[in-house]
Amino acid sequence: MITLEMMPPLMFGGLVLAMLIGFPVAFTLAAVGLSFGFLAIHLGFFDLNFLQAIPGRVFGSVLSNELLLAIPFFTFMGAILERCGLAEDMLDSMGQLFGPIRGGLGYSVIIVGFILGAITGTVAAQVIAMALISMPIMIRYGYNMRYITGVLAASGTITQLVPPSLVLIVLADQLGKSVGDMYLGAWGPSVFQIVLFAGYTFVLGLIKPDHVPPVPLEARTLNGWALWKKCLMGIIPSAVLIFVVLGTMMMGLATPTEAGAMGAVGAIVLAAIHHKDFTTNDRRILIIGVIAAGIGTLVAMLFTENLVFRLSFAVCYIAVAWICIQAARIPDLRDLIKQGYESTMRLTCMVTFILIGSTCFSVVFLGVSGGVWLEHLLTSLPGGVWGFLIFINLFIFFLAFFLDFFEIAFIILPMIAPIAQKVLAPVVGPDAALIWFGVMLCVNMQTSFLHPPFGFALFYLRGVAPKEVKSSDIYWGAVPWIGLQMIMVLLVIIFPVTVTGLLDKPLNVDLDKVKIEVPQIDLPPLDLGPPQK
């Protein structure tokens, strides 16, 4: 006889078994959840009316969730920027700038990976673009093959952590926290991770200088101001787009969905100005629009919004609309926009179906007291808070061998989030507990793209690498960078301030001591007139 206490572990076991068969995860989740739901009804653990919560949550929490509308916008932005030529220009200019120093090409890949991560948010595009451009150059100048494959794959996964990452949006939604706070918490670890990657390259240059040799100065095709101009032409438009997306969100001027919409339009503009058919007159119109936006911003900061403010931004909007129309008239850009729509549709549909399937699973799991079983299991671990964090991170690290980050976030996170809130609140406070926990898991889940033999970044790299690059070099090359990412996880665990340092400090107010004093106003006596007869 199956008891109530046996149902939660049986559900987990059934889910793992169904996934091993290779059936799509979204339908596996729904099938396992509904199967155990009908079994629970048969055994009398709850009645059929309980399952009404599934369509209620699907239509009330998934399909009507405005935060998830940000996902297609950011996906479209990444799909446009990955093919518009921005990566090629930045890698070429950064490679020539840093190339003459030992490990310079590695530094350029890491820095460009960080910048692209802040404007694209897609691992596949980043790995493929950087591998196609940088790998032949690094091979030509004698870089170690395992270092080449490792730094290209790891730099592509940086986009998982750097805002505006899709992972952080999903984590914020599942943890019930604001996207802005999640982005603020992720900045510290993302910068530290870049320093860690660059530090590894620097140490490797000291220990094994033949692995990361400098590029001869005569190999440069640009020098002086021409080189710096090309670097700035890639960095400045990217910085503007980052501010438009992240700056407006963190300043409270735009919601994540609105910021994503502006980023999608900005990506089209950025792709247009990088295209060879973009004319000088179009550039002048864009410059006029940028100047108008600057004037409007200054007016809003120094004065109240007035006619000058409205006219300035009207000019800016007209300029942006003109650039988008011109982009649609260029055949290459029109095809690029179409491909962006298609890839956005595919990813958005995948996320939606996984969410619906995970809703079916989680409702039934909670209905058979799975939350109580999981809380008892995790809170009884030895080591208290640190034992909980070590176990969860090892568990997520193991799951990342087999599951994508979307699947981990939608299946596991809703179950352990309430427990994490209770366990971690005494360490960093109730407001920052889930932000700390979410960023920590985001750092951990980066490794899902690097795990041999199923890491997607390794598959992308294998697909575009030349034939002389062995698969063993790709797999072994990823190992040191996985170690660096796990070191980053430990740093986030040991030093929570790396996440919480930029968050707003909670107001420590004792509600029992709050006094509201209302000043007494002496009113003249009310004259009601002569009495009524």
Side-chain angles (χ1 to χ4, degrees), residues 157-162 165-168 171 182 186 193 393 396 405 436-447 489:
T157 64
I158 291 173
T159 188
Q160 295 295 97
L161 182 60
V162 180
S165 165
L166 290 180
V167 182
L168 294 173
L171 289 174
M182 195 66 74
Q193 183 168 257
N393 278 283
I396 296 296
F405 73 87
W436 180 35
F437 185 65
V439 173
M440 185 191 310
L441 294 189
C442 186
V443 178
N444 195 333
M445 283 191 286
Q446 285 183 113
T447 60
V489 174

Side-chain angles (χ1 to χ4, degrees), residues 504-532:
D504 293 332
K505 302 299 180 185
L507 297 176
N508 296 318
V509 179
D510 188 354
L511 296 179
D512 295 330
K513 297 181 180 179
V514 174
K515 294 182 180 180
I516 301 176
E517 297 182 357
V518 179
Q520 182 153 0
I521 302 174
D522 296 329
L523 296 175
L526 187 63
D527 186 9
L528 299 178
Q532 298 288 333

